[in-house]
Amino acid sequence: MFSLNKVTLALVASGCLMCSTASFAQEEQTPPASSNEDSVVESRDSANDEVEVIEVTGFKSSLIKSLNQKRFADTVSEQISADDLGGLPDVSMADALTRLPGVAAVRTGGQAAEINIRGLGGGFVSSTLNGREQVSTSGSRSIEFDQYPSELISQAAVYKSTKASLIEGGVAGTVELTTASALNNDKQHTFNLNARGMYNDRASEVADAEEFGHRLSFSYQGKFFEDTLGVSVGYARLYQPSVATQFIGFAYNAQADVDMLPDDTNGPADAPNEEYISEGFELQHLGGVETRNGYVGALEWQPNDTFTVRADAFVSKFDSESFARGFRVKFDGETAAIANPTILGNSMIGGTINRKSTGNNTRVEIVNDDNQDFDSVESYGLNLDWQITDRLNANLDFTYSSAESDFRNGLLWALVAEDANADVPVLDPNVSISYLLNGSDLPDIGFSQADAFTDINRVMVSKYGIYPFENSDRLSAVRLDLEYELDNEFVSSVAFGMRYSDREYSNDRSVYQYGADNNFSSSEPPLKLTDDMVQVVDWEGEFSYFPSYLAIDLDKALNAWFGNDIPQPVQTWGANRDGEIDDSTSWSVLQSGEVYEEVASAYIMANLDMELFDLPITGNIGVRAVKTKQSSTAYENVGGLVEAGAQNIMDEVGLVNSNFKYTVEGIEYTDYLPSLNLNFHITDNSQIRFAAGKVMSRPDINRLASNRSIQISDEGEVTGNSNNNPFIRPFYANQYDLSYEQYFVETEGAFVFAVFHKDVESFLQDQTLFNYDFEAAGFYVPEKIVNETTGVETEVDPVGTYYTAFNNENGGHITGAEVALTQVFTFLPDLWSGLGIYVSYSYTQSNVAFETDLLGTTIDQPLEGLSENLATATLFYEYSDFETRLSFRYRDSFVSRQWGIDEQRLRFDDELIVDYQASYNVTDNLGLLFQVNNLTDEPTQSYFGTPEFSGTTQFFGRQFYFGATYSF
């Protein structure tokens, strides 16, 4: 039920105040033409007031044009603009957006992918293309912006304050990408061609890695039939090496008494004498190629000044084929023999781990992983805009957006044998691992088996496994917006509209595995390697002191192992040797399913235009009502009880499981989201903005997929999990913005200062519930279980540990400030008049924290994506046909995700990314360009809690580009 919270009271008070004021003459605004379904931009007439719009040409033009768009926007926003398709030089829109104040990116494989805004991660960012909501290949709501080639985007905006006409979903902000409109192009026909070669300077350190790549793009815009028909088409191709050399530390999920100190009480409550031990670590070479092909097209028809039809399409296909080779070290610390431990706090960061003869699985795996990821994003839209009368405008929009992701990770494990030529090979038990973490430096490491890692008479392939993720996300929507212009003293127009969307997300898991990763299986014996399958790989650079290893050709190994009939992954319950279900791979069935989401929304918004004590004020006030219905498929274990709904459920290999019932479950809820934006025009060149609103971000779409389940151990202990379920609610916040903008008159540029506050009402949090009564909560819990191996009958205790997610309503706050300066030094002598700077700084802090136990002991971590300090700086120079720029992007430590054995949320260290670009126009049509990304070869580094507990160190190399552009 809608209550009068602080935001609502502020809006009511502001509305009453504005109703008592007089109107004022409208000023000039030239907003970018757009068919956006989610914004109604107010224009101010220039006939009465003279407001200087900065206009320049060359490199500065896009920067100054962005300032003009920010200046005349009706919300707190940041803008990026390009004069033409292909005008943005960045690899993707993720790189381009990080130039804006308060915007940072999370690097994946060295490339910017996910966007963070004002300290909040990608799951809190709403994204639209041509005003239409986009789905993602990430399996969440976080858009992977590296899917969007910058060459195909003509404009981008980041809305930091909300308004009623914006699609809900962005607590952090809304990113709006716009493709070109031929009818709004100043020229009759334009054609752009861009070709660049690229080189990665670390690729030579990785065996079999590609060193060279390329970028190609072309675009055309044309107007026909007396400017009534517009055609826009574009294509962009990226082919680039994907390389990295990395160390990855694993979570501290084991515990044992390793220091043997008397009266030791620093450990966990249930074992105060024990220390926390990491699961292990990886040392890997990564190599491969990424190929992205992007397509855009639009057809516009404007038979008269009152009616426009636009049909547009955007398609991006991003394929990645890569390998990961090296060592995966598993300590199995709870059962290993540990000597010379180095303890920090209560966690072990160094020591010697030795494999015991029995009951222990300490090992060094030589891994040769083959990863393939095929992603595609498609977006189609039809927009009809009709100026029905001089005062009434109607806009009807239809959209379809889809995302498909097929990730196939084939894993090949190898272990060291005593003698690989033996009739029955035996695992070498002489496993000793010495290590010492060195914080942000690489660790000291020694292996007793180091000499054997390159010997095919010792190394044998012990296991092959493939564990695909297939995601599909589809959304259809229709929207109607109406705007009626008024002639009164304070409201220039009233906008109202409605929108309906239907979204379906599906996740399919499957599996095939053969052999064992901790020993040699007698029933699925290891593979003897031959010379033609392997090559010796050495480490170089910072990693050169690590031992060499055998890189194994996956295809040749599988053909030798399985012949021409290589088994394929399937979705199955799993079976033992006798063909009976043993639930060994039941997760492939239980983690597969669908999520359904229907959203109906409506809004009303008044666009304001008035004077208060001779002070011009513009803006808007409105409210958006949103009704959400969400549900997902679910399998619930009811112990085979037919009266409880048990069904015969067959997997893909014909195994029938009768223990589960299949159901669809979910919830419905309604939200009311008021908003206010006020722009006080202090002078013709300075203004103060105030904004307030209630915002929401729904949980990631994959977190709505039900995974509710319980497991019963042989000892009769019950544990359960429902970290993902369709009953979790959105993240809510009331937000306030206040900013000052000064646009320079004597020179070109602007100064902006802003403060913001988000009062968080609730957020999603994972929680572990001890002493949870599963039976009382409605779970099926049998009274007794029988061990299939021993035949021993054990009573089951229905009270156990439950891992779940809930909406934490304690709330908190996110508060920050931003400052930005753009200055072109036009007052300098002619040679230096093209010199300019763009700098920004953002500070964000929050008291919202989440608990993590990845370090063993439980500690608090801040919101995912929150960096307290962000800074960007660009120094640019332009003279005649030459222009150049040097850009810096800094962010301090933040929480994000990495993959070890499982997904891990941990702290990433601060980083400074430096890029350089120079270009020269040979003729009016032909230009040359040189570009270096990651000029200082900045690594990605992470840690558990504090830097002493190393998480990740990844080096990706510098990327060099050289190419040419041609336009006419």
Side-chain angles (χ1 to χ4, degrees), residues 240-559:
Q240 68 179 9
S242 173
V243 299
T245 311
Q246 66 183 23
F247 165 85
I248 296 180
F250 298 156
Y252 292 72
N253 56 11
Q255 59 190 57
D257 186 4
V258 297
D259 60 8
M260 301 298 179
L261 294 177
D263 302 320
D264 185 358
T265 58
N266 293 325
D270 59 341
N273 62 321
E274 296 184 345
E275 286 71 45
Y276 298 108
I277 306 170
S278 169
E279 187 172 355
F281 58 83
E282 288 180 340
L283 291 167
Q284 290 187 334
H285 285 123
L286 277 66
V289 294
E290 296 175 339
T291 306
R292 182 187 65 202
N293 289 290
Y295 312 84
V296 67
L299 187 65
E300 301 168 276
W301 181 50
Q302 191 176 46
N304 53 55
D305 292 338
T306 62
F307 185 73
T308 304
V309 179
R310 173 186 166 103
D312 55 72
F314 174 89
V315 176
S316 177
K317 297 183 180 297
F318 200 132
D319 298 337
S320 173
E321 300 187 57
S322 62
F323 58 80
R325 301 169 178 167
F327 303 108
R328 181 177 295 119
V329 178
K330 301 297 288 292
F331 291 159
D332 195 16
E334 290 185 337
T335 59
I338 298 177
N340 306 315
T342 299
I343 308 298
L344 182 63
N346 195 57
S347 299
M348 190 176 85
I349 63 170
T352 300
I353 300 98
N354 302 292
R355 183 182 179 109
K356 290 183 178 179
S357 58
T358 58
N360 173 240
N361 291 312
T362 300
R363 61 196 183 273
V364 179
E365 305 166 359
I366 300 175
V367 293
N368 287 263
D369 299 347
D370 178 66
N371 300 317
Q372 298 178 318
D373 194 1
F374 304 104
D375 295 343
S376 65
V377 171
E378 299 181 13
S379 180
Y380 305 95
L382 176 65
N383 184 272
L384 295 86
D385 190 85
W386 183 20
Q387 190 68 38
I388 301 174
T389 69
D390 289 343
R391 294 182 179 271
L392 179 62
N393 177 269
N395 188 286
L396 180 62
D397 194 271
F398 302 90
T399 182
Y400 173 78
S401 175
S402 70
E404 308 281 343
S405 178
D406 183 2
F407 177 66
R408 304 174 68 85
N409 53 341
L411 281 64
L412 200 68
W413 287 265
L415 299 171
V416 175
E418 290 183 344
D419 182 2
N421 299 304
D423 291 338
V424 180
V426 177
L427 184 75
D428 178 14
N430 179 30
V431 181
S432 182
I433 305 157
S434 294
Y435 82 107
L436 178 64
L437 299 182
N438 292 315
S440 58
D441 295 325
L442 291 172
D444 299 326
I445 293 174
F447 300 115
S448 63
Q449 298 173 318
D451 292 339
F453 292 153
T454 56
D455 187 353
I456 63 171
N457 294 310
R458 299 287 304 281
V459 176
M460 302 189 75
V461 176
S462 65
K463 182 179 179 180
Y464 168 68
I466 183 168
Y467 311 91
F469 292 78
E470 293 184 64
N471 297 322
S472 173
D473 202 352
R474 296 183 175 89
L475 180 143
S476 300
V478 59
R479 174 166 181 164
L480 175 65
D481 292 281
L482 299 169
E483 182 178 11
Y484 187 78
E485 294 185 4
L486 302 176
D487 185 13
N488 62 39
E489 297 181 343
F490 55 92
V491 177
S492 61
S493 66
V494 174
F496 45 95
M498 59 192 69
R499 178 179 181 269
Y500 173 79
S501 66
D502 188 1
R503 184 171 185 172
E504 181 177 335
Y505 165 82
S506 68
N507 179 46
D508 284 307
R509 298 300 313 277
S510 55
V511 59
Y512 175 78
Q513 51 191 9
Y514 181 91
D517 60 1
N518 60 356
N519 210 324
F520 294 145
S521 170
S522 58
S523 60
E524 297 172 336
L527 172 69
K528 173 72 171 69
L529 294 170
T530 57
D531 287 330
D532 64 316
M533 297 182 193
V534 301
Q535 64 172 316
V536 176
V537 174
D538 301 320
W539 299 87
E540 298 184 24
E542 297 87 347
F543 293 73
S544 60
Y545 62 93
F546 297 132
S548 302
Y549 64 92
L550 289 180
I552 303 171
D553 187 303
L554 179 69
D555 292 332
K556 290 182 178 179
L558 294 183
N559 287 329

